[in-house]
Amino acid sequence: DTAVSQTPKYLVTQMGNDKSIKCEQNLGHDTMYWYKQDSKKFLKIMFSYNNKELIINETVPNRFSPKSPDKAHLNLHINSLELGDSAVYFCASSQGGWSGNQPQHFGDGTRLSIL
Amino acid sequence: AQSVTQLGSHVSVSEGALVLLRCNYSSSVPPYLFWYVQYPNQGLQLLLKYTTGATLVKGINGFEAEFKKSETSFHLTKPSAHMSDAAEYFCAVSTTNTGFQKLVFGTGTRLLVSP
């Protein structure tokens, strides 16, 4: 059973389009995250949700809108896609967001390519 | 603010040789430190973590790391490299500035293993 699953795995689209990425975790965790990994492999957090509540928003453009319908799901919608949005987007989850010592579990990523 | 620095974007070793990947951290509070591995086209997998207690931490696949407060280091080692160890390795520090956990990653080190 996949612990953190993301769909789709690959997303190729044109500039200006709107797209969504879905994430689900079956670990019973209460905190979920979105990360962006650029072409140089640098990983940076974008958002974090705890029990459906937004707790971290790292100055991401408001074209990016996360939504958490329940604590097992965290989706990412991106409006008006730009070339600079090309990256791999990772979803992750952890137990107990208040405690910094819990490891985060990552999905396999969604590779977004903007033409 | 907490941060990590990984020295060397690429490290090359021969199969059977010692693996040493360097990580130095900056933190104003006792840090929680993690090492993750990323295989091609996959998400990040936890290798090991340091929270409190024993400073020598053992992880999966024969890796270990030693927390040295005086040197602000958390270097990753493995006595004998295998071809299957070739991957990207990330050191991360956990911050809880806002009360919730946020992982700050280093820039990664690609480990190359030659026969």
Side-chain angles (χ1 to χ4, degrees), chain B residues 12-80:
Chain B
S12 295
V13 299
S14 300
E15 196 172 17
L18 171 72
V19 175
L20 171 60
L21 304 182
R22 298 177 187 274
C23 173
N24 287 89
Y25 70 89
S26 171
S27 177
S28 56
V29 297
Y32 298 138
L33 295 160
F34 303 81
W35 274 101
Y36 284 86
V37 60
Q38 184 180 24
Y39 298 103
N41 298 316
Q42 292 186 26
L44 279 72
Q45 181 182 357
L46 179 71
L47 276 177
L48 49 80
K49 67 174 184 177
Y50 169 78
T51 54
T52 57
T55 55
L56 183 61
V57 180
K58 294 188 185 300
I60 61 171
N61 302 338
F63 284 93
E64 62 182 36
E66 187 170 10
F67 171 68
K68 291 187 176 181
K69 185 178 177 182
S70 60
E71 299 177 9
T72 61
S73 69
F74 190 55
H75 301 331
L76 182 71
T77 60
K78 182 174 180 177
S80 176

Side-chain angles (χ1 to χ4, degrees), chain A residues 43-61:
Chain A
L43 267 161
K44 192 171 191 309
I45 190 166
M46 300 172 68
F47 301 103
S48 176
Y49 271 74
N50 178 262
N51 279 323
K52 303 191 297 177
E53 183 181 347
L54 180 66
I55 52 174
I56 294 175
N57 183 341
E58 286 289 298
T59 59
V60 177

